[in-house]
Amino acid sequence: MPDRGGGPTGPRIRVGRPSRRVRTLLMTLGVLAVLGMAFTMFAGFWTDWLWYRSVNYSSVFTTTLWTKIGLFFVFGLLMALAVGLNIWLAHRLRPPLSAMSMEQQNLDRYRMGIAPYKKWLLLGITALVGLVAGASASGQWRTWLMWVNGVPFGEKDPQFHLDVSFYAFDLPWYRFLLGFGFAAAILSLIAAALTHYLYGGLRITSPGARATAAATGHLSVLIGIFVALKAVAYWLDRYGLAVKSSDFKATDNWTGLRYVDANAYLPAKTILFCIAVICALLFFATLWRRTWQLPVIGFGLMVLSAILIGGLYPAIVQKFQVQPNEQAKEAPYVEKNLKATREAYGIDGAKVSDYAGRSTTEDKTKLRDDVDSAASIRIMDPNIVSPTFQQLQQMRNYYAFPNNLDVDRYSKDGKDQDTVIGLRELNLAGIPKKNWINNHFRYTHGYGVVAAEGTSADSEGRPEFTESDLPSKGDLGTYEQRIYYGEKTDTYSIVGGPQKEIDYSDDNGEKTTSYKGDSGVSLSNPVNRAAYAAAFSEPQILYSGAIGEGSRILYNRTPKDRVEAVAPWLTIDGDAYPAVVDGRIQWIVDAYTTTNGYPYSSRTTLGDTTADSLTATNNSRTVVAQQNQVNYIRNSVKATVDAYTGEVKLYQWDTKDPVLKTWMKAFPGTVEPRADISDSLMAHLRYPQDLFKVQRELLTRYHVKDATTFLSGSEVWQVPDDPTNKSGNAVPPYYLSMKMPDQQAQAFSLTTTFTPNGRDNLSAFMSVDAEAGTPDYGKIRILKLPTSTTVDGPKQVQSQFNSEQDIAESIRLLRGGDSEVEYGNLLTVPLDGGLLYVEPVYVRGGGLKYPLLRKVLVTYGGQTAFENTLGEALDKVFGTKGTTTEPPDEGTTTPPPTSGDATVQEALSDAQKAFEAGQEALKKNDWEAYGKAQQDLEDALQRAEEAQAKADQSSGGKNGGSPSPSPSSSPGGNTDSG
């Protein structure tokens, strides 16, 4: 063509195909990308298989895998066939194309465009919907396994008289099938309608009939199938009423039928079922009648009935029949809910006893000797003293203790004693020089147990260790001390190869070792190395010379993760705890079976119910729940994880639980019988905390057994907030060896308190026998306080501590300088009709970064003491060595200062000087000077108290001359909760 621009012409640029070399390069890169993706997918699958095989739970992997694959292919193919068949049928039923309307002329372009690709388009659509449906169905593997392996509960619901297993195992599967059917019907209807429209079977703007007879019949059948499924849904909804949740009275998650459900919704669902069946038949009849008139009328009738019968009628019944006489109408259904909820949560055996809350013994000195038999009062708070363990027993920076230690019991001189225990675990943050070799080859494990008596402290406020030093030695005897699996071990290690590991260090230098266990996966195979290099995104695993013959990779090393992996049907308790059993350190993990389908049992949310002031600051203590909303729970499995080999064992604990029996049928051979639990292991098993927290939350409402009281709401309790800190979270339960009024001897127990809803006084005290292997294990005892009088609750007791003038002054002195006061667990012990409260007080002072026990607060029967030791505080409270002062009577005036006040001030000044001297001694680590300063401090406080007592006697008042503490000196302010 001639140049039309008037300028010189330039060279033509021809755009051709890429050169052969470029095409080859692009093709090679594409193939490599596909192979890389395929190998990455293979690496994930292969490493999972190797791990399950290494822990001897390969059957869990294969059963889960084949179940997912089976569900994927079965339901994926069903969905693909349903949609594909209806597209094909709609295409086959297309009318012959004759005189084209404008609408058909516009559609003709699309028909011509897809004509060459019709088969591929059909395959693509069916493959897509099949993949989505199959992926969704594979996620229902738990539902399938529970349905196909379900074991009867042996209990029937009170409404339909069906076994509970129908609601727990069958109904969820039927609902899944129904949902799948709805999805298939809707997708098929949409696909068929679009195909009919594309090929002229349906017309929107063309003159004449809007649909051909074939299209009418086809679509009517699909709508009829949808309506038939709706009829099935109405029928299943009848049974769903037994597990339906609603807000009712004080219960947010009330479950089960109420009066309006049984007398309005239930008959309404039955009527709607019948109407839906008739409506579906009318749609099917269009195959012969070829008209939409009757089906449309029937469908409209069904919609209208759903509004009137399913919505309006129940509202009328609720408004005009139930509300005017709610208590009488709802009482029978409340009783069913009470019974089912108590059974489902294992609280039906809870024993509620009246308790006076006040001692009947006038001579309190007689009770002093009874305290020791009433409880082994633990003054070492495991949630406070972890930094003390860390400072005194860490030994090396690459060791660490968990933030919250554990309470167990060990026998000494033939007598069990409560023990605070922790493991010296690996702390990678403390490694001197971080690199890949150090992080994963040299520093691989922790070392040794550290334990201390729970009921005592030494003269300096430090724990009295029963197992300590490195290597650890003490009362626990000889055991394998290396800790390859622990709560803080969250990275992989490669052991057993040519690279030596650091075992521990002593005065003679570093000791090295090489792992001798058979845990982990072998890396001798190059395929395994390549797979782990891809799975962990660490190419050095593939070629590093530190890996050789005998090398094994350890991962998934926290106890809770290992148990959850080998038993993915279990809910895991938030607190795994260690114990020395038969020469091995074993992590003990409590696990639960749950369901959300127990009829009439009210639901609870595990994440909320098990939260307290400890889980708020330590995420590792949160429950690992397979389903958060449950209405049935059992501590059915006790699991152990060997700290050296990582071996996981699951023991059947609840031999009657049908949910566990169902899972044992699904995964045979994974759970060992209860008889295999050794006596030495049984001695360390205990009642789990998360189950106890779920039960105590339910018992705030379900401690009552009659519907009238439940409906009135007058007996609703609440779990109090933790009074020892300002977190605003619930007080955690405490392990304590103690004796309830109906017990003859102390038992290792888990305890908590209740207060009335919206108030701070005590309403009840609850304990459960936590010592496994005893006849009373799991027995819940509740001491109910009278409602006619008030007994101080935890918050009020803490406030009482804070308001005592002498105590506040002592706290102010303890908090002098840069010291911090931390309050330990506020323990409650029933004693002679009254309640004894004990709270240890710790101080972080001067250069010390860890808390030491400095004082013990004790109160009983209105008497309060704040002394250096528990024994001294008890002596003072029970009158063995005098009594505490009392606040002035209301209405009295404070007398003017007397000559005794000067002595009081002098003594307090000496106390301040002694405290400051002690802080200076701490900074210099001069323990002898620190001990002398503490003695001077105690003497000065004693002189101040004696001088004040003399001043009170001379003035005729009580506490008249004591200075009032300022708000800033209150123990409640500026505390640092451990």
Side-chain angles (χ1 to χ4, degrees):
M1 294 181 63
D3 180 17
R4 299 179 186 272
T9 61
R12 288 187 176 183
I13 300 176
R14 298 182 63 183
V15 179
R17 297 175 61 190
S19 66
R20 182 184 299 272
R21 181 178 298 176
V22 173
R23 292 199 307 271
T24 303
L25 178 61
L26 291 175
M27 185 175 296
T28 302
L29 291 176
V31 171
L32 290 176
V34 171
L35 290 176
M37 294 175 60
F39 184 77
T40 301
M41 296 174 62
F42 165 78
F45 165 81
W46 185 244
T47 53
D48 285 347
W49 160 249
L50 291 174
W51 186 85
Y52 275 97
R53 192 175 64 174
S54 72
V55 294
N56 298 318
Y57 281 89
S58 56
S59 63
V60 174
F61 179 81
T62 55
T63 300
T64 305
L65 178 65
W66 285 116
T67 303
K68 290 180 178 179
I69 291 175
L71 292 172
F72 177 86
F73 279 105
V74 169
F75 286 95
L77 286 173
L78 286 175
M79 182 65 76
L81 287 173
V83 175
L85 178 63
N86 281 282
I87 292 176
W88 174 83
L89 186 59
H91 178 266
R92 186 176 180 83
L93 296 175
R94 67 189 184 281
L97 296 176
S98 55
M100 305 287 286
S101 65
M102 285 297 299
E103 181 182 23
Q104 291 303 312
Q105 290 177 9
N106 291 330
L107 290 174
D108 193 50
R109 291 180 299 168
Y110 296 102
R111 288 193 287 265
M112 293 178 63
I114 66 173
Y117 311 104
K118 285 192 295 186
K119 291 184 179 179
W120 292 107
L121 187 60
L122 178 62
L123 289 175
I125 293 174
T126 55
L128 179 62
V129 297
L131 286 172
V132 173
S136 176
S138 66
Q140 298 293 324
W141 64 272
R142 290 185 178 89
T143 308
W144 161 262
L145 288 176
M146 293 184 77
W147 177 68
V148 78
N149 295 287
V151 172
F153 275 67
E155 301 173 11
K156 294 184 178 181
D157 78 283
Q159 181 66 40
F160 302 102
H161 307 292
L162 296 174
D163 192 90
V164 172
S165 61
F166 171 80
Y167 301 93
F169 305 142
D170 299 344
L171 190 58
W173 178 249
Y174 297 154
R175 281 176 166 169
F176 163 71
L177 292 178
L178 185 63
F180 179 84
F182 274 125
I186 292 172
L187 290 175
S188 297
L189 181 62
I190 293 173
L194 290 175
T195 306
H196 279 298
Y197 176 69
L198 181 63
Y199 287 96
L202 291 178
R203 304 180 182 89
I204 298 177
T205 61
S206 300
R210 291 287 185 260
T212 64
T216 300
H218 184 196
L219 296 180
S220 295
V221 170
L222 291 176
I223 297 174
I225 292 174
F226 177 85
V227 176
L229 290 172
K230 188 62 180 174
V232 176
Y234 281 133
W235 189 258
L236 287 181
D237 285 346
R238 298 169 68 256
Y239 302 108
L241 292 173
V243 289
K244 184 194 75 172
S245 286
S246 60
D247 295 339
F248 179 54
K249 293 298 180 182
T251 306
D252 294 334
N253 288 308
W254 165 279
T255 301
L257 285 84
R258 291 157 50 190
Y259 181 88
V260 69
D261 296 313
N263 295 277
Y265 280 112
L266 186 57
K269 297 292 183 183
T270 304
I271 295 171
L272 289 172
F273 163 76
C274 297
I275 293 174
V277 170
I278 296 172
C279 186
L281 293 175
L282 291 176
F283 275 106
F284 293 144
T286 57
L287 285 172
W288 298 276
R289 293 178 58 85
R290 305 296 186 181
T291 176
W292 291 86
Q293 185 175 6
L294 284 179
V296 170
I297 294 174
F299 189 80
L301 176 62
M302 187 181 73
V303 173
L304 182 63
S305 300
I307 296 173
L308 297 178
I309 303 176
L312 184 60
Y313 174 62
I316 293 173
V317 171
Q318 178 69 25
K319 179 70 175 178
F320 295 102
Q321 291 190 34
V322 178
Q323 290 185 3
N325 192 17
E326 184 176 47
Q327 185 161 306
K329 297 289 187 182
E330 300 287 15
Y333 304 96
V334 171
E335 289 178 357
K336 295 174 184 177
N337 176 270
L338 287 172
K339 183 177 183 296
T341 302
R342 291 170 63 85
E343 290 174 350
Y345 289 96
I347 57 178
D348 50 325
K351 179 183 178 182
V352 181
S353 305
D354 292 333
Y355 193 70
R358 300 183 185 279
S359 175
T360 56
T361 302
E362 295 183 2
D363 186 2
K364 302 301 181 186
T365 59
K366 296 180 180 179
L367 297 178
R368 176 62 183 88
D369 294 335
D370 295 338
V371 174
D372 294 334
S373 62
S376 298
I377 299 175
R378 178 172 43 75
I379 56 176
M380 281 289 111
D381 187 347
N383 307 308
I384 295 287
V385 298
S386 178
T388 308
F389 274 51
Q390 185 83 359
Q391 186 70 25
L392 301 179
Q393 289 295 319
Q394 179 188 22
M395 303 304 182
R396 296 292 184 269
N397 287 337
Y398 49 82
Y399 294 134
F401 292 92
N403 295 331
N404 303 98
L405 303 178
D406 289 290
V407 177
D408 201 349
R409 60 256 188 246
Y410 285 86
S411 180
K412 184 176 182 180
D413 299 329
K415 182 180 179 182
D416 286 347
Q417 64 178 14
D418 291 359
T419 302
V420 177
I421 186 172
L423 301 189
R424 195 183 286 114
E425 295 189 43
L426 178 66
N427 175 31
L428 288 178
I431 293 177
K433 183 179 180 181
K434 288 190 174 183
N435 53 54
W436 189 64
I437 294 295
N438 280 346
N439 291 355
H440 300 289
F441 289 82
R442 288 182 56 76
Y443 295 92
T444 59
H445 60 278
Y447 207 97
V449 174
V450 176
E453 292 184 6
T455 56
S456 63
D458 66 14
S459 59
E460 295 175 353
R462 298 180 298 188
E464 290 194 345
F465 293 107
T466 58
E467 185 80 9
S468 59
D469 299 333
L470 184 69
S472 296
K473 54 184 177 292
D475 296 344
L476 300 185
T478 303
Y479 57 95
E480 174 56 67
Q481 299 199 20
R482 297 173 183 85
I483 303 161
Y484 283 87
Y485 296 87
E487 290 181 301
K488 300 179 74 68
T489 314
D490 54 4
T491 188
Y492 70 89
S493 290
I494 299 176
V495 298
Q499 180 66 58
K500 291 291 185 180
E501 311 162 44
I502 293 178
D503 206 19
Y504 64 91
S505 301
D506 58 15
D507 295 337
N508 298 321
E510 289 183 350
K511 307 292 184 182
T512 60
T513 187
S514 186
Y515 185 66
K516 304 299 182 185
D518 58 358
S519 181
V521 178
S522 173
L523 293 179
S524 300
N525 187 328
V527 175
N528 291 359
R529 293 176 65 170
Y532 279 102
F536 289 174
S537 301
E538 181 49 71
Q540 294 187 77
I541 295 177
L542 184 59
Y543 56 78
S544 174
I547 301 175
E549 190 65 30
S551 291
R552 309 181 72 84
I553 185 168
L554 313 181
Y555 62 106
N556 283 358
R557 298 167 69 185
T558 63
K560 288 163 61 176
D561 286 346
R562 293 180 77 79
V563 174
E564 182 192 14
V566 303
W569 62 89
L570 292 175
T571 292
I572 312 300
D573 190 88
D575 184 26
Y577 61 99
V580 177
V581 180
D582 297 330
R584 315 286 295 190
I585 300 174
Q586 298 282 354
W587 288 99
I588 300 175
V589 183
D590 285 287
Y592 312 107
T593 48
T594 62
T595 182
N596 196 29
Y598 197 100
Y600 273 100
S601 173
S602 290
R603 289 180 171 85
T604 188
T605 305
L606 290 180
D608 297 336
T609 306
T610 58
D612 58 27
S613 61
L614 298 183
T615 60
T617 57
N618 188 355
N619 290 333
S620 65
R621 293 182 70 98
T622 56
V623 64
V624 182
Q626 298 300 331
Q627 55 181 156
N628 204 23
Q629 278 268 329
V630 303
N631 67 353
Y632 170 94
I633 186 170
R634 289 291 186 271
N635 177 212
S636 53
V637 171
K638 301 284 189 181
T640 62
V641 178
D642 192 293
Y644 183 75
T645 66
E647 180 185 21
V648 181
K649 288 188 176 181
L650 308 176
Y651 296 100
Q652 182 183 14
W653 184 248
D654 190 329
T655 57
K656 298 180 181 179
D657 177 30
V659 181
L660 178 61
K661 291 179 180 178
T662 296
W663 287 119
M664 290 174 67
K665 280 183 63 180
F667 296 93
T670 56
V671 181
E672 300 182 24
R674 177 169 176 158
D676 287 356
I677 300 177
S678 65
D679 292 340
S680 53
L681 175 59
M682 183 72 76
H684 296 282
L685 300 182
R686 68 188 190 188
Y687 201 81
Q689 292 188 61
D690 283 339
L691 175 61
F692 184 76
K693 285 188 279 188
V694 170
Q695 290 175 327
R696 75 172 178 177
E697 180 65 30
L698 268 296
L699 282 167
T700 59
R701 291 158 290 153
Y702 287 92
H703 61 278
V704 300
K705 296 183 180 180
D706 63 284
T708 302
T709 307
F710 185 89
L711 286 167
S712 71
S714 61
E715 290 289 333
V716 176
W717 299 338
Q718 66 182 12
V719 179
D721 293 339
D722 192 341
T724 65
N725 59 59
K726 296 181 179 180
S727 68
N729 297 102
V731 61
Y734 297 125
Y735 286 106
L736 183 68
S737 290
M738 56 165 290
K739 181 175 66 175
M740 291 289 278
D742 65 335
Q743 292 178 293
Q744 300 301 314
Q746 291 183 19
F748 190 63
S749 305
L750 194 53
T751 65
T752 191
T753 53
F754 295 109
T755 58
N757 193 25
R759 305 211 310 273
D760 293 326
N761 56 290
L762 196 68
S763 58
F765 174 81
M766 170 181 168
S767 78
V768 64
D769 195 318
E771 192 160 353
T774 60
D776 281 350
Y777 172 81
K779 183 175 182 178
I780 297 174
R781 296 177 173 88
I782 299 175
L783 302 180
K784 183 182 175 184
L785 281 300
T787 56
S788 57
T789 59
T790 58
V791 178
D792 288 343
K795 186 175 181 179
Q796 292 173 322
V797 169
Q798 187 70 47
S799 178
Q800 180 182 344
F801 286 156
N802 296 348
S803 62
E804 288 279 348
Q805 294 183 1
D806 292 344
I807 295 176
E809 183 64 24
S810 299
I811 292 284
R812 187 184 70 80
L813 294 175
L814 290 174
R815 194 179 278 130
D818 60 352
S819 298
E820 297 176 350
V821 172
E822 298 182 19
Y823 293 96
N825 37 219
L826 179 58
L827 301 176
T828 309
V829 178
L831 179 67
D832 189 50
L835 291 164
L836 175 69
Y837 287 96
V838 179
E839 183 177 65
V841 179
Y842 299 82
V843 175
R844 294 182 192 234
L848 291 178
K849 300 301 181 184
Y850 59 94
L852 295 174
L853 181 67
R854 283 288 168 257
K855 295 285 184 178
V856 180
L857 283 162
V858 174
T859 184
Y860 182 80
Q863 298 294 318
T864 303
F866 184 61
E867 300 299 324
N868 294 334
T869 67
L870 174 62
E872 292 174 1
L874 291 172
D875 289 342
K876 191 166 187 178
V877 162
F878 291 104
T880 308
K881 294 185 178 180
T883 58
T884 57
T885 57
E886 299 178 358
D889 294 333
E890 188 176 349
T892 61
T893 57
T894 303
T898 64
S899 58
D901 291 317
T903 305
V904 173
Q905 296 299 328
E906 290 172 1
L908 292 176
S909 177
D910 291 343
Q912 180 67 37
K913 292 177 181 177
F915 178 78
E916 293 173 354
Q919 298 306 303
E920 289 297 323
L922 284 176
K923 293 179 181 179
K924 299 176 182 178
N925 289 328
D926 187 345
W927 296 108
E928 183 177 353
Y930 178 76
K932 182 178 182 304
Q934 289 299 298
Q935 186 61 49
D936 293 342
L937 175 62
E938 183 178 353
D939 293 342
L941 292 175
Q942 184 67 29
R943 284 191 284 110
E945 183 176 349
E946 292 172 354
Q948 183 62 57
K950 292 180 181 178
D952 289 343
Q953 292 175 0
S954 63
S955 63
K958 295 180 180 180
N959 283 344
S962 296
S964 176
S966 64
S968 63
S969 66
S970 169
N974 193 30
T975 61
D976 179 18
S977 169

